[in-house]
């Protein structure tokens, strides 16, 4: 994903230089270049704190702790976004496979991927596998 692909398409738009200034190199690599953090290294993988998970790039609310579950896959997992309009889903044909990419619907930042039919005991049978570095947890007071 490049900034020319997203400029004007989202409510929050910035130039590539502005994103690089705002985000750390690791955040930029994941959020703006669709990278992935290493499994079992993210700060929210095992977090059980109640609250709202927001996009680290723009602050839009994406997921809540009530939709988070322990998938033991190495990344935070959610069975549904906070609101259906909070994320956008795009077909991802990278790495020689077909997956569904999850992006922030407000700024277009890459969050992770969503998978279906894996047998997790969740209401949606979906696993939103999200990079911790794409999120900021706002604990419930």
């Amino acid at each position: 994903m490049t900034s020319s692909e997203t400029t004007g398409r989202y409510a929050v738009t910035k130039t590539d230089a502005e994103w690089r200034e705002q985000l750390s190199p690791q955040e930029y690599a994941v959020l703006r270049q669709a990278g992935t953090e290493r499994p079992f290294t993210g700060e929210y993988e095992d977090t059980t704190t109640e609250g709202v998970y927001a996009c680290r790039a723009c602050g839009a609310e994406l997921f809540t702790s009530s939709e988070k579950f322990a998938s033991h896959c190495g990344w935070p997992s959610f069975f549904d976004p906070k609101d259906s309009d909070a994320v956008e889903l795009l077909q991802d044909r990278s790495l020689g496979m077909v997956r569904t990419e999850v992006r922030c619907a407000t700024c277009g930042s890459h969050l992770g991927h969503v998978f279906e039919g894996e047998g997790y005991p969740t209401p949606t049978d979906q696993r939103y596998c999200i990079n911790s570095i794409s999120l900021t947890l706002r604990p419930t007071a």
Side-chain angles (χ1 to χ4, degrees), residues 5-139:
E5 293 173 4
T6 61
T7 302
R9 186 171 154 199
Y10 299 99
V12 173
T13 58
K14 296 182 181 192
T15 65
D16 191 54
E18 289 171 324
W19 285 121
R20 285 183 185 276
E21 185 178 316
Q22 174 188 331
L23 303 169
S24 73
Q26 296 86 1
E27 291 167 345
Y28 182 86
V30 174
L31 289 158
R32 305 310 303 167
Q33 296 180 313
T36 302
E37 66 190 355
R38 289 189 336 243
F40 304 103
T41 62
E43 67 180 306
Y44 301 129
E45 183 212 349
D46 293 324
T47 300
T48 57
T49 303
E50 290 186 23
V52 174
Y53 291 86
C55 176
R56 190 165 296 195
C58 73
E61 294 185 353
L62 303 170
F63 301 94
T64 69
S65 56
S66 61
E67 286 97 23
K68 189 172 188 289
F69 70 101
S71 68
H72 308 290
C73 72
W75 294 272
S77 296
F78 304 85
F79 61 81
D80 209 17
K82 182 178 185 291
D83 296 305
S84 59
D85 293 339
V87 299
E88 68 175 342
L89 305 178
L90 303 165
Q91 188 176 77
D92 176 2
R93 293 184 166 271
S94 65
L95 304 176
M97 62 183 98
V98 178
R99 300 177 291 172
T100 302
E101 179 185 8
V102 181
R103 287 190 190 173
C104 173
T106 301
C107 71
S109 288
H110 174 77
L111 304 171
H113 292 86
V114 63
F115 303 95
E116 294 185 68
E118 296 178 313
Y120 288 103
T122 63
T124 63
D125 197 26
Q126 293 181 317
R127 176 174 57 95
Y128 285 78
C129 183
I130 307 299
N131 292 286
S132 286
I133 202 165
S134 297
L135 303 171
T136 299
L137 175 59
R138 297 177 185 151

